[in-house]
Amino acid sequence: MVWSAFPWWIHRAKFHIPSTHGDWITIESRIEGFKRSSFEVTHKVFKGEALAIEAFETRVLVGRQPDDPGKLKSAPIPQEIIEKFMRG
């Protein structure tokens, strides 16, 4: 199987304070950990010093099934991909 993408599997967010077009914000993203075929990412959005949004996502490495290219299947994340993410 040739892997093809890291689509979102799960995504959720907590909105603490509102922001609007024109506001200056800072976004911090961090990979929290890896599993066999997935990894967890957190995002924090700050408006000034205040935490505006916390977002959480799980991404899964998928590839096309050799016997049915119309279907996707999870695949183990290669170690070299994990190392590239960890280096930044």
Side-chain angles (χ1 to χ4, degrees):
M1 172 180 1
V2 175
W3 60 274
S4 60
F6 282 107
W8 278 341
W9 181 252
I10 300 170
H11 187 80
R12 64 189 193 286
K14 295 178 185 177
F15 295 87
H16 301 288
I17 60 174
S19 299
T20 188
H21 180 75
D23 287 347
W24 284 93
I25 60 171
T26 302
I27 302 170
E28 297 177 359
S29 297
R30 172 186 170 123
I31 294 178
E32 297 293 335
F34 287 90
K35 296 180 182 171
R36 184 188 79 82
S37 61
S38 66
F39 60 97
E40 306 289 324
V41 183
T42 60
H43 307 281
K44 292 184 179 182
V45 178
F46 293 90
K47 185 175 171 184
E49 297 293 318
L51 179 61
I53 303 168
E54 293 176 281
F56 312 90
E57 65 180 83
T58 300
R59 296 220 171 217
V60 178
L61 179 64
V62 297
R64 302 224 177 260
Q65 290 192 31
D67 58 337
D68 188 351
K71 293 185 180 178
L72 298 176
K73 182 177 180 177
S74 68
I77 301 173
Q79 188 61 36
E80 67 260 19
I81 299 295
I82 294 171
E83 291 169 2
K84 286 181 182 182
F85 272 116
M86 299 310 288
R87 281 195 302 263

